[in-house]
Every structure is written in structure tokens, then in C-alpha cells.
Amino acid sequence: MYTEKVLDHFSNPRNMGELEDANGVGMVGNAKCGDIMQMFIKVNDDGIIEDVSFKTFGCGAAIATSSMATELIKGKTVDEALQLSNSAVVEALEGLPPAKLHCSVLAEEAVKAAVENYRENLGKATV
Ligand code: FES
């Protein structure tokens, strides 16, 4: 029921852990299942996401989707990262069971929350 890609990202997650020099951190949760996802981004002066990592306290699909999301936004601009949809993450994983689609929504929201936090920090820095 899970694709090879999902199993691969679940058993061998990419970019897992905290990013010490992150300048954007987002945390989101799903009230129903109680899962929590944290996304860390390091954006350079050109607005490019140089580095990204995640920490997920949640189900296997949440771990796989957050891992894939980090791969999809690494090297992209923050604007491009904001365009990342949960369906793009699911597509990159070659599918998720319908009951697990909400886990991919968490990944999309975590990326958006990290970018928002980065922009807030940027605003504070220039005041
Ligand atoms: Fe809630 Fe997967 S079961 S994020």
C-alpha cells in the first residue's frame, strides 16, 4: 500500500534533525492525529534556501512527506518554496493512500510556516 519511494524516505529520511543556523523555523501540527512537524530553513542573501531540515513527531507518512519536502525546496527561492503544494509532494513520492493525504498537508504547511518565520525575522532585522 506504500510506494517504494515512501518506504525509502521513511526508512532513510533526508535532512533530518535540527538546523543550527536556520533563519526560518516553522512548526505545525494536526489536532486530529496529534502529529507535529518542524521545518528549518537557512536562506541566503539572494533569497535561496541553502539548507533545510526537519523534525517530525508523527506517523511514517509524515516523516516521508517531510523528508521529500526538504528535497523539493532545497536550492529553491523562498517564493518557489511557497508554491510547493501537498499534491506535488505526494506526486514526488509516487502516491500516498487516501487516508494518509493529510500527512502531506502537514509538510506543505510546515514549509509555509518556516518561510513566514524567515520573513518575520527579516522584517525585524531591518527595523
Ligand atoms: Fe497524522 Fe500522518 S497520521 S500526520
Side-chain angles (χ1 to χ4, degrees), residues 55-121:
K55 261 167 81 177
T56 292
F57 183 82
C59 73
I63 290 168
T65 52
S66 32
S67 166
M68 180 53 91
T70 62
E71 291 227 300
L72 291 173
I73 65 166
K74 200 170 189 171
K76 300 274 166 64
T77 66
V78 284
D79 286 330
E80 284 167 337
L82 284 177
Q83 304 296 316
L84 181 76
S85 66
N86 77 302
S87 43
V89 177
V90 173
E91 210 171 290
L93 287 169
E94 293 167 359
L96 268 184
K100 287 285 165 184
L101 285 176
H102 77 270
C103 318
S104 65
V105 173
L106 216 51
E108 177 190 323
E109 288 175 353
V111 169
K112 291 199 161 86
V115 170
E116 256 167 47
N117 177 252
Y118 158 73
R119 290 198 161 148
E120 272 169 32
N121 292 339

Coordinates of all heavy atoms in Angstrom, one line a residue, residues 55-121:
K55 N 12.1 18.0 11.6 CA 12.0 17.1 12.8 C 10.5 16.8 12.8 O 9.7 17.7 12.9 CB 12.4 17.8 14.1 CG 13.8 17.4 14.5 CD 14.3 18.3 15.6 CE 13.9 17.9 16.9 NZ 14.5 18.7 18.0
T56 N 10.2 15.5 12.8 CA 8.8 15.2 12.8 C 8.5 14.2 13.9 O 9.1 13.1 14.0 CB 8.4 14.6 11.4 OG1 8.4 15.6 10.4 CG2 7.0 14.0 11.4
F57 N 7.5 14.5 14.7 CA 7.0 13.6 15.7 C 5.7 13.1 15.1 O 4.6 13.8 15.3 CB 6.8 14.3 17.0 CG 6.4 13.4 18.1 CD1 7.3 12.6 18.8 CD2 5.0 13.3 18.5 CE1 6.8 11.8 19.8 CE2 4.6 12.5 19.5 CZ 5.5 11.7 20.2
G58 N 5.7 12.0 14.4 CA 4.5 11.6 13.7 C 4.6 10.3 13.0 O 5.6 9.6 13.2
C59 N 3.6 10.1 12.2 CA 3.5 8.8 11.5 C 4.5 8.6 10.4 O 5.2 9.6 10.0 CB 2.1 8.6 10.9 SG 1.9 9.7 9.5
G60 N 4.6 7.5 9.8 CA 5.6 7.2 8.8 C 5.4 8.1 7.6 O 6.3 8.5 7.0
A61 N 4.1 8.3 7.2 CA 3.9 9.1 6.0 C 4.3 10.6 6.3 O 4.7 11.3 5.4 CB 2.4 9.1 5.7
A62 N 4.1 11.0 7.5 CA 4.5 12.4 7.9 C 6.0 12.5 7.7 O 6.6 13.5 7.2 CB 4.1 12.7 9.3
I63 N 6.7 11.5 8.1 CA 8.2 11.5 8.0 C 8.6 11.5 6.6 O 9.5 12.3 6.1 CB 8.8 10.3 8.8 CG1 8.6 10.6 10.3 CG2 10.3 10.1 8.5 CD1 8.9 9.4 11.2
A64 N 8.0 10.6 5.8 CA 8.3 10.5 4.4 C 8.0 11.8 3.6 O 8.8 12.3 2.8 CB 7.6 9.4 3.7
T65 N 6.9 12.4 3.9 CA 6.5 13.7 3.2 C 7.4 14.8 3.6 O 7.7 15.7 2.8 CB 5.0 14.1 3.4 OG1 4.7 14.1 4.8 CG2 4.1 13.1 2.7
S66 N 7.8 14.9 4.9 CA 8.6 16.0 5.3 C 10.0 15.8 4.7 O 10.6 16.8 4.2 CB 8.7 16.2 6.8 OG 8.6 15.0 7.5
S67 N 10.5 14.6 4.6 CA 11.8 14.3 4.0 C 11.7 14.7 2.5 O 12.6 15.4 2.0 CB 12.1 12.8 4.1 OG 13.1 12.4 3.3
M68 N 10.7 14.3 1.8 CA 10.6 14.7 0.4 C 10.5 16.2 0.2 O 11.0 16.8 -0.7 CB 9.4 14.0 -0.2 CG 9.2 14.2 -1.7 SD 10.6 14.0 -2.7 CE 10.4 12.3 -3.2
A69 N 9.7 16.8 1.1 CA 9.5 18.3 1.0 C 10.9 19.0 1.1 O 11.1 20.0 0.4 CB 8.5 18.8 2.1
T70 N 11.7 18.5 2.0 CA 13.0 19.2 2.2 C 13.8 19.1 0.9 O 14.5 20.0 0.4 CB 13.9 18.6 3.3 OG1 14.2 17.2 3.1 CG2 13.3 18.8 4.7
E71 N 13.7 17.9 0.2 CA 14.5 17.7 -1.0 C 13.9 18.6 -2.1 O 14.7 19.1 -3.0 CB 14.3 16.3 -1.5 CG 15.1 15.3 -0.6 CD 15.9 14.3 -1.4 OE1 15.3 13.6 -2.1 OE2 17.1 14.3 -1.2
L72 N 12.6 18.8 -2.1 CA 12.0 19.6 -3.2 C 12.2 21.1 -3.0 O 12.2 21.8 -4.0 CB 10.5 19.4 -3.2 CG 10.0 18.0 -3.6 CD1 8.5 17.8 -3.5 CD2 10.4 17.7 -5.1
I73 N 12.5 21.6 -1.8 CA 12.7 23.1 -1.7 C 14.2 23.4 -1.6 O 14.5 24.6 -1.6 CB 11.9 23.7 -0.5 CG1 12.4 23.1 0.9 CG2 10.4 23.4 -0.7 CD1 11.9 24.0 2.0
K74 N 15.0 22.5 -1.4 CA 16.5 22.8 -1.3 C 17.0 23.4 -2.6 O 16.8 22.9 -3.6 CB 17.3 21.5 -0.9 CG 18.6 21.8 -0.3 CD 19.2 20.6 0.2 CE 20.4 20.9 1.0 NZ 20.9 19.7 1.7
G75 N 17.6 24.6 -2.4 CA 18.2 25.2 -3.6 C 17.2 26.1 -4.3 O 17.5 26.8 -5.3
K76 N 15.9 26.1 -3.8 CA 14.9 27.0 -4.5 C 14.8 28.3 -3.8 O 15.3 28.5 -2.6 CB 13.5 26.2 -4.3 CG 13.5 24.9 -5.0 CD 13.2 25.0 -6.5 CE 13.4 23.8 -7.3 NZ 12.6 22.6 -6.9
T77 N 14.1 29.3 -4.4 CA 13.9 30.5 -3.7 C 12.7 30.4 -2.7 O 12.0 29.4 -2.8 CB 13.5 31.6 -4.7 OG1 12.2 31.3 -5.3 CG2 14.5 31.8 -5.8
V78 N 12.6 31.3 -1.8 CA 11.5 31.2 -0.8 C 10.2 31.3 -1.5 O 9.2 30.6 -1.1 CB 11.6 32.3 0.3 CG1 12.7 31.9 1.3 CG2 11.9 33.6 -0.2
D79 N 10.1 32.1 -2.6 CA 8.8 32.2 -3.4 C 8.5 30.9 -4.0 O 7.3 30.5 -4.0 CB 8.9 33.3 -4.4 CG 8.9 34.7 -3.8 OD1 8.2 34.8 -2.8 OD2 9.5 35.6 -4.4
E80 N 9.5 30.2 -4.5 CA 9.2 28.9 -5.1 C 8.8 27.9 -4.0 O 7.9 27.1 -4.3 CB 10.5 28.3 -5.8 CG 10.7 29.0 -7.2 CD 12.1 28.7 -7.7 OE1 13.0 28.4 -6.9 OE2 12.3 28.9 -8.9
A81 N 9.4 28.0 -2.9 CA 9.0 27.1 -1.8 C 7.6 27.3 -1.3 O 6.9 26.3 -1.0 CB 10.0 27.3 -0.6
L82 N 7.1 28.5 -1.4 CA 5.7 28.8 -1.0 C 4.7 28.2 -2.0 O 3.6 28.0 -1.7 CB 5.5 30.3 -1.0 CG 6.0 31.0 0.2 CD1 5.8 32.5 0.1 CD2 5.4 30.5 1.5
Q83 N 5.2 27.9 -3.2 CA 4.4 27.3 -4.2 C 4.2 25.8 -4.1 O 3.4 25.2 -4.7 CB 4.9 27.5 -5.7 CG 5.2 29.0 -6.1 CD 3.9 29.8 -6.1 OE1 2.9 29.3 -6.6 NE2 3.9 30.9 -5.6
L84 N 5.1 25.2 -3.2 CA 5.0 23.8 -3.0 C 3.7 23.3 -2.5 O 3.3 23.8 -1.4 CB 6.2 23.3 -2.1 CG 6.2 21.8 -1.9 CD1 6.8 21.1 -3.1 CD2 7.0 21.5 -0.6
S85 N 3.0 22.5 -3.2 CA 1.7 22.0 -2.7 C 1.9 20.6 -2.2 O 2.8 19.9 -2.5 CB 0.7 22.0 -3.9 OG 1.1 21.0 -4.8
N86 N 0.9 20.2 -1.4 CA 1.0 18.9 -0.8 C 0.9 17.8 -1.9 O 1.5 16.8 -1.9 CB -0.1 18.6 0.3 CG -1.5 18.4 -0.3 OD1 -2.0 19.3 -1.0 ND2 -2.1 17.3 0.0
S87 N 0.1 18.2 -3.0 CA 0.0 17.2 -4.1 C 1.3 17.0 -4.8 O 1.6 15.9 -5.3 CB -1.2 17.5 -5.0 OG -1.2 18.9 -5.3
A88 N 2.1 18.1 -4.9 CA 3.4 17.9 -5.5 C 4.3 17.0 -4.7 O 5.1 16.2 -5.3 CB 4.1 19.3 -5.7
V89 N 4.2 17.1 -3.4 CA 5.0 16.2 -2.5 C 4.5 14.7 -2.7 O 5.3 13.8 -2.9 CB 4.8 16.6 -1.0 CG1 5.5 15.6 -0.1 CG2 5.3 18.0 -0.8
V90 N 3.2 14.5 -2.8 CA 2.6 13.2 -3.0 C 3.0 12.6 -4.3 O 3.4 11.5 -4.4 CB 1.0 13.3 -2.9 CG1 0.4 11.9 -3.2 CG2 0.6 13.7 -1.5
E91 N 3.0 13.5 -5.3 CA 3.4 13.1 -6.7 C 4.9 12.6 -6.7 O 5.2 11.6 -7.2 CB 3.2 14.2 -7.6 CG 2.9 13.8 -9.0 CD 2.5 15.0 -9.9 OE1 1.4 15.6 -9.6 OE2 3.4 15.4 -10.7
A92 N 5.7 13.4 -6.0 CA 7.1 13.0 -6.0 C 7.3 11.7 -5.2 O 8.3 11.0 -5.5 CB 7.9 14.2 -5.3
L93 N 6.4 11.4 -4.3 CA 6.5 10.1 -3.6 C 5.8 9.0 -4.3 O 5.7 7.9 -3.8 CB 5.9 10.3 -2.2 CG 6.8 11.1 -1.2 CD1 5.9 11.4 0.1 CD2 8.0 10.4 -0.8
E94 N 5.3 9.3 -5.5 CA 4.5 8.4 -6.3 C 3.3 7.9 -5.6 O 2.9 6.7 -5.8 CB 5.4 7.3 -6.8 CG 6.5 7.8 -7.8 CD 7.6 6.8 -8.1 OE1 7.6 5.7 -7.6 OE2 8.5 7.2 -8.9
G95 N 2.7 8.7 -4.8 CA 1.4 8.4 -4.3 C 1.4 8.1 -2.8 O 2.4 7.7 -2.2
L96 N 0.2 8.3 -2.2 CA 0.0 8.0 -0.7 C -1.4 7.4 -0.6 O -2.3 7.9 -1.4 CB 0.1 9.3 0.1 CG 1.4 9.8 0.7 CD1 1.1 11.0 1.6 CD2 2.0 8.7 1.6
P97 N -1.6 6.5 0.3 CA -3.0 6.1 0.5 C -3.9 7.3 0.9 O -3.4 8.2 1.6 CB -2.9 5.1 1.6 CG -1.4 4.8 1.8 CD -0.7 5.9 1.2
P98 N -5.2 7.3 0.4 CA -6.0 8.4 0.7 C -6.1 8.8 2.2 O -6.1 10.0 2.5 CB -7.4 7.9 0.2 CG -7.1 6.9 -0.8 CD -5.8 6.2 -0.4
A99 N -6.1 7.8 3.1 CA -6.2 8.1 4.5 C -4.9 8.8 5.0 O -4.9 9.3 6.2 CB -6.4 6.8 5.3
K100 N -3.9 8.9 4.2 CA -2.6 9.5 4.6 C -2.4 10.8 3.9 O -1.3 11.4 4.1 CB -1.5 8.5 4.4 CG -1.5 7.3 5.3 CD -1.0 7.8 6.6 CE -1.2 6.8 7.7 NZ -0.8 7.3 9.0
L101 N -3.3 11.3 3.2 CA -3.1 12.5 2.4 C -2.9 13.7 3.4 O -2.1 14.6 3.1 CB -4.2 12.8 1.4 CG -4.2 11.9 0.2 CD1 -5.4 12.2 -0.7 CD2 -2.9 12.2 -0.6
H102 N -3.6 13.7 4.5 CA -3.4 14.8 5.4 C -2.0 15.0 6.0 O -1.6 16.1 6.3 CB -4.4 14.7 6.6 CG -4.0 13.7 7.7 ND1 -4.3 12.4 7.6 CD2 -3.3 13.9 8.8 CE1 -3.8 11.8 8.7 NE2 -3.2 12.7 9.4
C103 N -1.2 13.9 5.9 CA 0.1 14.0 6.4 C 1.0 14.9 5.4 O 1.8 15.6 5.9 CB 0.8 12.6 6.4 SG -0.3 11.3 7.1
S104 N 0.6 14.8 4.1 CA 1.3 15.6 3.2 C 0.9 17.1 3.3 O 1.7 18.0 3.0 CB 1.1 15.1 1.8 OG -0.3 15.3 1.4
V105 N -0.3 17.3 3.8 CA -0.7 18.7 4.0 C 0.1 19.3 5.1 O 0.5 20.5 5.0 CB -2.2 18.8 4.4 CG1 -2.6 20.2 4.8 CG2 -3.1 18.3 3.2
L106 N 0.5 18.5 6.1 CA 1.3 19.0 7.2 C 2.7 19.5 6.6 O 3.2 20.5 7.1 CB 1.5 17.8 8.2 CG 1.6 18.2 9.7 CD1 0.4 19.0 10.1 CD2 1.6 16.9 10.5
A107 N 3.2 18.7 5.6 CA 4.5 19.1 5.1 C 4.4 20.4 4.3 O 5.3 21.3 4.5 CB 5.0 18.0 4.1
E108 N 3.4 20.6 3.6 CA 3.2 21.9 2.9 C 3.1 23.0 3.9 O 3.7 24.1 3.7 CB 1.9 21.8 2.0 CG 1.6 23.1 1.3 CD 0.2 23.2 0.7 OE1 -0.3 22.1 0.1 OE2 -0.4 24.2 0.7
E109 N 2.3 22.8 4.9 CA 2.1 23.8 5.9 C 3.4 24.2 6.7 O 3.7 25.3 7.1 CB 1.0 23.4 6.9 CG -0.4 23.5 6.3 CD -1.4 22.9 7.3 OE1 -1.1 22.4 8.4 OE2 -2.6 23.0 6.9
A110 N 4.2 23.1 6.9 CA 5.4 23.3 7.7 C 6.4 24.2 6.9 O 7.1 25.1 7.4 CB 6.1 22.0 8.0
V111 N 6.5 24.0 5.6 CA 7.3 24.8 4.7 C 6.8 26.2 4.7 O 7.6 27.2 4.9 CB 7.3 24.2 3.2 CG1 8.0 25.2 2.3 CG2 8.0 22.9 3.2
K112 N 5.5 26.4 4.6 CA 5.0 27.8 4.6 C 5.3 28.5 5.9 O 5.6 29.7 5.9 CB 3.5 27.7 4.3 CG 3.2 27.3 2.9 CD 1.8 27.7 2.5 CE 1.7 27.7 1.0 NZ 1.3 26.4 0.4
A113 N 5.1 27.7 7.0 CA 5.4 28.3 8.3 C 6.8 28.7 8.5 O 7.1 29.8 9.1 CB 5.0 27.3 9.4
A114 N 7.7 27.9 7.9 CA 9.2 28.3 8.0 C 9.5 29.5 7.2 O 10.2 30.4 7.6 CB 10.0 27.1 7.5
V115 N 8.9 29.6 6.0 CA 9.1 30.8 5.2 C 8.5 32.0 5.8 O 9.2 33.1 5.9 CB 8.5 30.6 3.8 CG1 8.5 31.9 3.0 CG2 9.3 29.5 3.0
E116 N 7.3 31.9 6.4 CA 6.7 33.0 7.1 C 7.6 33.5 8.3 O 7.8 34.7 8.4 CB 5.4 32.6 7.8 CG 4.2 33.1 7.0 CD 2.9 32.4 7.4 OE1 2.7 32.3 8.6 OE2 2.2 31.9 6.5
N117 N 8.1 32.6 9.0 CA 9.0 32.9 10.1 C 10.3 33.6 9.6 O 10.8 34.6 10.2 CB 9.4 31.6 10.9 CG 10.3 31.9 12.1 OD1 11.5 31.5 12.0 ND2 9.9 32.6 13.1
Y118 N 10.8 33.1 8.5 CA 12.0 33.7 7.9 C 11.7 35.2 7.6 O 12.5 36.1 7.8 CB 12.4 32.9 6.7 CG 13.3 33.7 5.7 CD1 14.6 34.0 6.0 CD2 12.7 34.2 4.5 CE1 15.3 34.8 5.1 CE2 13.5 34.9 3.6 CZ 14.8 35.3 3.9 OH 15.5 36.0 3.1
R119 N 10.5 35.4 7.0 CA 10.2 36.8 6.6 C 10.0 37.7 7.8 O 10.3 38.8 7.7 CB 8.9 36.7 5.7 CG 9.3 36.1 4.3 CD 8.2 36.4 3.3 NE 8.8 36.2 2.0 CZ 8.2 35.8 0.9 NH1 6.9 35.6 1.0 NH2 8.8 35.6 -0.2
E120 N 9.4 37.1 8.8 CA 9.2 37.9 10.1 C 10.6 38.3 10.6 O 10.8 39.4 11.0 CB 8.5 37.0 11.1 CG 7.0 37.1 11.1 CD 6.4 36.0 12.0 OE1 7.1 35.7 13.0 OE2 5.4 35.5 11.6
N121 N 11.5 37.3 10.6 CA 12.9 37.6 11.1 C 13.5 38.7 10.3 O 14.2 39.5 10.8 CB 13.7 36.3 11.1 CG 13.2 35.3 12.1 OD1 12.5 35.7 13.1 ND2 13.6 34.1 11.9

